[in-house]
Amino acid sequence: MNQEEFNVLAADLKKIAGIIPLNWGAVQQNCIDDSINMFSIATYSELERKVSPLSEFKKNYFRRRWYLWKCAECDEYLFYKNANVEKNPNHCDKAWDVRINQNHVFDIKGTVIPREMRNDVEAVMDNPGEMVEFFYEKQSKGVRYDIQNRLFIIHHSFVDADRELYLRCAWEEKERIYKEFCSRIDDISFISTHNVEAGVIFVLERVKNVVEYKIAGLG
């Protein structure tokens, strides 16, 4: 992806954020994924054509799955556009998406705070270790199942949890946040678990349309 491609995709994702289902309807799984070749689909209009013969249940599954995949592509671009970040040249390699300062590799995962932990979000932000353990233990057992270094991008709105997708598209703010993460990576204390290391960036909204953030392990 280059800057022009990012600009087009990022703008389109912002436009359709309000019509994407907020729930999977199912855990990510191979039997549904095999219904169409989602990774060959470049635009939302094309996705709608491809899923038209499917049940509404599967349509919503693919709408959300495709949308989050495209958001992930944009997140990755905002990382590897930094001078000290390398993109994995092998897009089929599940081990890592980006390498920072030549020695920190991460698979990037955009997600939200688990529903079970939202009763005390501030505590999760202060100590995200339990949440990270949850992510590794409860991850999908589909084709992408693996254990590797991960950087979790957590989206949470204190205004309304349903504003998750708007936070996923806070591209201007995310660009600044990711730049700081990359420039200060050697100052970050990462979470050790499952014989790998994990980082956490919280992208937050306490006041509507005002994006805040917290990089776990950064003093």
Side-chain angles (χ1 to χ4, degrees), residues 121-160:
V121 173
E122 299 290 354
V124 173
M125 291 168 55
D126 288 340
N127 184 9
E130 182 180 351
M131 177 185 68
V132 168
E133 290 286 337
F134 179 93
F135 287 145
Y136 278 103
E137 293 296 330
K138 301 296 183 180
Q139 66 179 307
S140 164
K141 298 301 190 291
V143 293
R144 285 187 57 82
Y145 175 82
D146 205 353
I147 298 291
Q148 69 275 91
N149 290 355
R150 292 201 183 127
L151 175 55
F152 295 99
I153 312 298
I154 310 297
H155 308 86
H156 183 77
S157 173
F158 290 89
V159 177
D160 184 346

Side-chain angles (χ1 to χ4, degrees), residues 9 12 16 40-49 66 70:
L9 178 57
D12 285 346
I16 63 174
S40 68
I41 298 173
T43 66
Y44 184 73
S45 58
E46 182 184 357
L47 173 71
E48 287 295 335
R49 289 196 299 271
W66 180 88
K70 287 301 183 181

